[in-house]
Amino acid sequence: MVLALTVCGIVVALVVIGLFVFGLRRRLIQRSGGTFDCSLRWDAPKEGDGGGKGWSYGVARYNGDRVEWYRVFSYSPRPRRVLERSAIEVAGRRVPDGEEELALLSDAVVLACLHRGTRLELAMSEDALTGFLAWLEAAPPGQRVNVG
């Protein structure tokens, strides 16, 4: 009986510590500002081929001429993907389709992009999309940015 209570107490403590670390990590990512909720589908299929598969929920952060994308359900302090402004080409935008509506946040808009030849899709709110496109267009003089 004592052993079972001890094991249960340890499990509960580990769950609480794990949740605290998730919250602390997100707080540290957002500390410098310039963050927004953003789902990512890397190496995305062509239009209409993928359904709702391949999406990962995350938080993106502007950092100079880069956007750093962090998975929400991770303990890693490093971004999972780094997108450089000069390498992003916007291919189009659309509303979530079919199964994607279940995989993404309710107000999401999907932005199809190319980054160094890799097709990717970003899903974010309309407000975050407006800020992202403005950030892309605000590239320093001499940088090539393709916003379609």
Coordinates of all heavy atoms in Angstrom, one line a residue, residues 65-120:
D65 N 16.1 38.7 -39.6 CA 15.7 38.3 -40.9 C 15.3 36.8 -41.0 O 15.3 36.2 -42.0 CB 16.8 38.6 -41.9 CG 16.9 40.0 -42.3 OD1 16.0 40.8 -42.1 OD2 18.0 40.5 -42.7
R66 N 14.9 36.3 -39.8 CA 14.6 34.9 -39.8 C 13.3 34.7 -39.0 O 13.0 35.6 -38.1 CB 15.6 34.0 -39.1 CG 17.0 34.2 -39.7 CD 18.0 33.4 -39.1 NE 18.0 33.4 -37.6 CZ 18.7 32.6 -36.8 NH1 19.4 31.7 -37.3 NH2 18.6 32.7 -35.5
V67 N 12.6 33.7 -39.3 CA 11.4 33.2 -38.4 C 11.8 31.9 -37.9 O 12.2 31.0 -38.6 CB 10.1 33.1 -39.2 CG1 9.1 32.4 -38.4 CG2 9.6 34.5 -39.7
E68 N 11.8 31.8 -36.5 CA 12.2 30.6 -35.9 C 10.9 29.9 -35.5 O 10.0 30.5 -34.9 CB 13.0 30.8 -34.6 CG 14.3 31.5 -35.0 CD 15.1 32.0 -33.8 OE1 14.5 32.2 -32.7 OE2 16.3 32.2 -33.9
W69 N 10.7 28.6 -35.8 CA 9.5 27.9 -35.6 C 9.8 26.8 -34.5 O 10.7 25.9 -34.7 CB 8.9 27.3 -36.8 CG 7.7 26.6 -36.6 CD1 6.4 27.1 -36.5 CD2 7.4 25.2 -36.4 NE1 5.5 26.2 -36.3 CE2 6.1 25.0 -36.2 CE3 8.3 24.1 -36.3 CZ2 5.5 23.7 -35.9 CZ3 7.8 22.8 -36.1 CH2 6.4 22.6 -35.9
Y70 N 9.1 26.8 -33.4 CA 9.2 25.8 -32.3 C 8.0 24.9 -32.2 O 6.9 25.4 -32.3 CB 9.4 26.6 -31.0 CG 10.5 27.5 -30.9 CD1 10.5 28.8 -31.4 CD2 11.7 27.0 -30.2 CE1 11.6 29.6 -31.3 CE2 12.8 27.9 -30.1 CZ 12.8 29.1 -30.6 OH 13.9 29.9 -30.5
R71 N 8.2 23.6 -32.1 CA 7.1 22.7 -31.8 C 6.6 23.0 -30.4 O 7.3 23.3 -29.5 CB 7.5 21.3 -31.9 CG 7.9 20.8 -33.3 CD 8.3 19.4 -33.2 NE 7.2 18.5 -32.8 CZ 6.6 17.6 -33.5 NH1 7.0 17.4 -34.7 NH2 5.7 16.9 -33.0
V72 N 5.2 23.0 -30.3 CA 4.7 23.2 -28.9 C 5.0 22.1 -28.0 O 5.4 22.3 -26.9 CB 3.2 23.5 -29.0 CG1 2.5 23.4 -27.7 CG2 2.9 24.8 -29.6
F73 N 4.8 20.9 -28.5 CA 5.0 19.7 -27.7 C 6.4 19.1 -27.8 O 6.6 18.1 -28.3 CB 3.9 18.6 -28.0 CG 2.5 19.1 -27.8 CD1 1.7 19.4 -28.9 CD2 2.0 19.4 -26.6 CE1 0.5 19.9 -28.8 CE2 0.8 19.9 -26.4 CZ 0.0 20.1 -27.5
S74 N 7.3 19.9 -27.3 CA 8.7 19.5 -27.3 C 9.4 20.2 -26.1 O 9.0 21.3 -25.6 CB 9.4 20.0 -28.6 OG 10.8 19.9 -28.5
Y75 N 10.5 19.6 -25.6 CA 11.2 20.2 -24.6 C 12.5 21.0 -25.1 O 13.2 21.6 -24.3 CB 11.7 19.2 -23.5 CG 10.5 18.6 -22.7 CD1 10.1 17.3 -22.9 CD2 9.9 19.4 -21.8 CE1 9.0 16.8 -22.1 CE2 8.9 18.9 -21.0 CZ 8.4 17.6 -21.2 OH 7.4 17.2 -20.5
S76 N 12.7 20.9 -26.4 CA 13.9 21.4 -27.0 C 13.9 23.0 -26.9 O 12.9 23.6 -27.3 CB 14.1 21.0 -28.4 OG 15.2 21.7 -29.0
P77 N 15.0 23.6 -26.5 CA 15.1 25.0 -26.4 C 15.4 25.6 -27.8 O 15.4 26.8 -27.9 CB 16.2 25.3 -25.4 CG 17.1 24.1 -25.5 CD 16.2 22.9 -25.8
R78 N 15.7 24.8 -28.7 CA 16.1 25.3 -30.1 C 14.9 25.2 -31.0 O 14.1 24.3 -30.9 CB 17.3 24.5 -30.6 CG 18.5 24.7 -29.8 CD 19.7 24.0 -30.4 NE 20.8 24.3 -29.6 CZ 22.0 23.8 -29.8 NH1 22.2 22.9 -30.7 NH2 23.0 24.1 -29.0
P79 N 14.9 26.1 -32.0 CA 13.8 26.0 -33.0 C 13.9 24.7 -33.8 O 15.0 24.3 -34.2 CB 14.0 27.2 -33.8 CG 15.3 27.7 -33.6 CD 15.8 27.2 -32.3
R80 N 12.8 24.2 -34.2 CA 12.8 23.0 -35.1 C 13.1 23.4 -36.5 O 13.8 22.6 -37.2 CB 11.4 22.3 -35.0 CG 11.2 21.2 -35.9 CD 11.7 20.0 -35.3 NE 11.3 18.8 -36.1 CZ 11.7 17.6 -36.0 NH1 12.6 17.4 -35.0 NH2 11.3 16.7 -36.8
R81 N 12.6 24.5 -36.9 CA 12.9 25.0 -38.3 C 13.2 26.5 -38.2 O 12.7 27.2 -37.4 CB 11.7 24.9 -39.2 CG 11.2 23.5 -39.4 CD 12.0 22.7 -40.3 NE 11.5 21.4 -40.5 CZ 12.1 20.4 -41.0 NH1 13.4 20.6 -41.4 NH2 11.6 19.2 -41.1
V82 N 14.1 27.0 -39.1 CA 14.5 28.4 -39.2 C 14.2 28.8 -40.7 O 14.8 28.1 -41.6 CB 15.9 28.6 -38.8 CG1 16.3 30.1 -39.0 CG2 16.1 28.2 -37.3
L83 N 13.4 29.7 -40.9 CA 13.1 30.2 -42.2 C 13.7 31.6 -42.4 O 13.4 32.5 -41.7 CB 11.6 30.3 -42.4 CG 10.8 29.1 -42.1 CD1 9.3 29.3 -42.3 CD2 11.2 27.9 -43.0
E84 N 14.6 31.7 -43.4 CA 15.2 33.0 -43.7 C 14.4 33.8 -44.7 O 13.9 33.3 -45.7 CB 16.6 32.7 -44.3 CG 17.5 32.0 -43.3 CD 18.8 31.6 -44.0 OE1 19.1 32.1 -45.1 OE2 19.5 30.8 -43.4
R85 N 14.2 35.1 -44.4 CA 13.3 35.9 -45.1 C 13.7 35.9 -46.6 O 12.8 35.8 -47.5 CB 13.4 37.4 -44.6 CG 12.5 38.3 -45.4 CD 12.3 39.7 -44.9 NE 13.2 40.2 -43.9 CZ 12.9 41.1 -43.0 NH1 11.8 41.7 -43.0 NH2 13.9 41.6 -42.2
S86 N 15.0 36.0 -47.0 CA 15.4 36.1 -48.3 C 15.2 34.8 -49.1 O 15.2 34.8 -50.3 CB 16.9 36.4 -48.4 OG 17.7 35.4 -47.8
A87 N 14.9 33.7 -48.4 CA 14.7 32.4 -49.1 C 13.2 31.9 -49.2 O 12.9 30.9 -49.7 CB 15.5 31.3 -48.3
I88 N 12.3 32.8 -48.6 CA 10.9 32.4 -48.6 C 10.2 33.0 -49.9 O 10.4 34.2 -50.2 CB 10.2 33.0 -47.4 CG1 10.8 32.4 -46.1 CG2 8.7 32.7 -47.4 CD1 10.3 33.0 -44.8
E89 N 9.6 32.1 -50.6 CA 8.7 32.5 -51.7 C 7.3 32.1 -51.4 O 7.0 31.0 -51.2 CB 9.2 31.9 -53.0 CG 10.6 32.2 -53.4 CD 11.0 31.5 -54.7 OE1 10.2 31.4 -55.6 OE2 12.2 31.1 -54.8
V90 N 6.4 33.1 -51.5 CA 5.0 32.8 -51.2 C 4.3 32.3 -52.5 O 4.4 33.0 -53.5 CB 4.2 34.0 -50.7 CG1 2.8 33.8 -50.5 CG2 4.9 34.5 -49.3
A91 N 3.7 31.1 -52.5 CA 3.1 30.6 -53.6 C 1.6 30.8 -53.7 O 1.0 30.7 -54.7 CB 3.4 29.1 -53.7
G92 N 1.0 31.0 -52.5 CA -0.5 31.3 -52.5 C -1.0 31.1 -51.1 O -0.3 30.7 -50.2
R93 N -2.3 31.4 -51.0 CA -3.0 31.2 -49.7 C -4.4 30.6 -49.9 O -4.9 30.8 -51.0 CB -3.1 32.6 -48.9 CG -3.9 33.6 -49.6 CD -3.8 34.9 -49.0 NE -4.8 35.1 -47.9 CZ -5.0 36.2 -47.3 NH1 -4.3 37.3 -47.5 NH2 -5.9 36.3 -46.3
R94 N -4.9 30.0 -48.9 CA -6.2 29.3 -49.0 C -6.7 29.1 -47.6 O -6.0 29.2 -46.6 CB -6.0 28.0 -49.8 CG -5.1 27.0 -49.1 CD -4.9 25.7 -49.9 NE -4.0 24.8 -49.3 CZ -4.2 24.0 -48.3 NH1 -5.5 23.9 -47.8 NH2 -3.3 23.2 -47.7
V95 N -8.0 28.6 -47.6 CA -8.6 28.3 -46.3 C -8.4 26.8 -46.1 O -8.2 26.0 -47.1 CB -10.1 28.6 -46.3 CG1 -10.3 30.1 -46.4 CG2 -10.8 27.9 -47.4
P96 N -8.3 26.3 -44.9 CA -8.2 24.8 -44.7 C -9.3 24.0 -45.4 O -10.4 24.5 -45.4 CB -8.3 24.7 -43.2 CG -7.9 26.0 -42.6 CD -8.4 27.0 -43.7
D97 N -8.9 22.9 -45.9 CA -9.8 22.1 -46.7 C -10.0 20.7 -46.0 O -9.0 20.1 -45.6 CB -9.3 21.9 -48.1 CG -10.2 21.3 -49.0 OD1 -11.4 21.5 -48.9 OD2 -9.7 20.5 -49.9
G98 N -11.2 20.2 -45.9 CA -11.5 18.9 -45.5 C -11.0 18.6 -44.1 O -11.3 19.2 -43.1
E99 N -10.2 17.6 -44.0 CA -9.6 17.1 -42.7 C -8.7 18.1 -42.1 O -8.5 18.1 -40.9 CB -8.8 15.8 -42.9 CG -9.7 14.6 -43.3 CD -8.8 13.4 -43.6 OE1 -7.6 13.4 -43.3 OE2 -9.4 12.5 -44.2
E100 N -8.2 19.1 -42.9 CA -7.3 20.1 -42.3 C -8.1 21.0 -41.3 O -7.5 21.5 -40.4 CB -6.8 21.0 -43.4 CG -5.7 20.4 -44.2 CD -5.2 21.4 -45.3 OE1 -6.0 22.2 -45.8 OE2 -4.0 21.3 -45.6
E101 N -9.4 21.1 -41.5 CA -10.2 22.0 -40.6 C -10.1 21.4 -39.1 O -10.2 22.1 -38.2 CB -11.6 22.0 -41.0 CG -11.8 22.8 -42.3 CD -13.2 22.8 -42.8 OE1 -14.1 22.7 -42.0 OE2 -13.4 23.1 -44.0
L102 N -9.9 20.1 -39.0 CA -9.8 19.4 -37.7 C -8.4 19.5 -37.2 O -8.2 19.5 -36.0 CB -10.3 18.0 -37.8 CG -11.7 17.7 -38.3 CD1 -11.9 16.2 -38.5 CD2 -12.7 18.3 -37.3
A103 N -7.4 19.5 -38.1 CA -6.0 19.5 -37.6 C -5.5 20.9 -37.3 O -4.5 21.0 -36.6 CB -5.1 18.9 -38.7
L104 N -6.2 22.0 -37.7 CA -5.7 23.3 -37.5 C -6.6 24.1 -36.6 O -7.7 23.7 -36.3 CB -5.6 24.0 -38.9 CG -4.7 23.4 -39.9 CD1 -4.8 24.1 -41.2 CD2 -3.2 23.3 -39.4
L105 N -6.1 25.3 -36.1 CA -7.0 26.2 -35.3 C -8.1 26.6 -36.2 O -8.0 26.7 -37.4 CB -6.1 27.3 -34.8 CG -5.0 27.0 -33.8 CD1 -4.2 28.2 -33.5 CD2 -5.6 26.4 -32.6
S106 N -9.2 27.0 -35.5 CA -10.5 27.3 -36.2 C -10.4 28.5 -37.1 O -11.0 28.5 -38.2 CB -11.6 27.5 -35.2 OG -11.3 28.6 -34.4
D107 N -9.6 29.5 -36.8 CA -9.5 30.7 -37.7 C -8.3 30.7 -38.6 O -7.9 31.8 -39.1 CB -9.5 32.0 -36.8 CG -8.3 32.1 -35.9 OD1 -7.6 31.0 -35.7 OD2 -8.0 33.2 -35.4
A108 N -7.7 29.6 -38.9 CA -6.4 29.5 -39.6 C -6.6 29.8 -41.1 O -7.6 29.4 -41.7 CB -5.8 28.2 -39.4
V109 N -5.6 30.4 -41.6 CA -5.4 30.6 -43.1 C -4.1 29.9 -43.5 O -3.1 30.0 -42.7 CB -5.3 32.1 -43.5 CG1 -5.1 32.3 -44.9 CG2 -6.6 32.8 -43.0
V110 N -4.1 29.1 -44.5 CA -3.0 28.4 -44.9 C -2.2 29.2 -46.0 O -2.8 29.6 -47.0 CB -3.4 27.0 -45.5 CG1 -2.1 26.2 -46.0 CG2 -4.1 26.2 -44.4
L111 N -0.9 29.3 -45.8 CA 0.0 30.1 -46.7 C 1.0 29.0 -47.3 O 1.7 28.4 -46.5 CB 0.7 31.2 -45.9 CG 1.6 32.1 -46.8 CD1 0.7 33.0 -47.7 CD2 2.4 33.0 -45.9
A112 N 0.9 28.8 -48.6 CA 1.8 27.9 -49.2 C 3.1 28.7 -49.6 O 3.0 29.8 -50.2 CB 1.2 27.3 -50.5
C113 N 4.2 28.1 -49.3 CA 5.5 28.8 -49.5 C 6.5 27.8 -50.1 O 6.4 26.6 -50.0 CB 6.1 29.3 -48.2 SG 5.0 30.5 -47.4
L114 N 7.6 28.3 -50.6 CA 8.8 27.6 -51.0 C 9.9 28.2 -50.1 O 10.1 29.4 -50.0 CB 9.1 27.7 -52.4 CG 8.2 26.9 -53.4 CD1 8.6 27.3 -54.8 CD2 8.4 25.4 -53.2
H115 N 10.8 27.3 -49.6 CA 11.9 27.8 -48.8 C 13.1 26.9 -49.3 O 13.2 25.7 -49.0 CB 11.7 27.6 -47.3 CG 12.8 28.2 -46.5 ND1 13.9 27.4 -46.0 CD2 13.1 29.4 -46.1 CE1 14.7 28.1 -45.3 NE2 14.3 29.4 -45.4
R116 N 14.0 27.5 -50.0 CA 15.2 26.8 -50.6 C 14.7 25.5 -51.3 O 15.3 24.5 -51.2 CB 16.2 26.5 -49.5 CG 16.7 27.7 -48.8 CD 17.9 27.4 -48.0 NE 18.3 28.5 -47.1 CZ 19.0 29.5 -47.6 NH1 19.4 29.6 -48.8 NH2 19.3 30.5 -46.8
G117 N 13.7 25.6 -52.1 CA 13.2 24.5 -52.9 C 12.3 23.5 -52.2 O 11.8 22.6 -52.8
T118 N 12.1 23.7 -50.9 CA 11.2 22.8 -50.2 C 9.8 23.5 -50.1 O 9.7 24.6 -49.6 CB 11.8 22.5 -48.8 OG1 13.1 22.0 -48.9 CG2 10.9 21.6 -48.0
R119 N 8.8 22.7 -50.4 CA 7.5 23.2 -50.3 C 7.0 23.1 -48.9 O 7.2 22.0 -48.3 CB 6.5 22.4 -51.2 CG 5.1 22.9 -51.2 CD 4.3 22.2 -52.3 NE 2.9 22.2 -52.0 CZ 2.1 23.3 -52.1 NH1 2.6 24.4 -52.5 NH2 0.8 23.2 -51.9
L120 N 6.5 24.1 -48.3 CA 5.9 24.1 -47.0 C 4.7 24.9 -46.9 O 4.4 25.7 -47.7 CB 7.0 24.6 -46.0 CG 7.4 26.0 -46.1 CD1 6.7 26.9 -45.0 CD2 8.9 26.1 -45.9

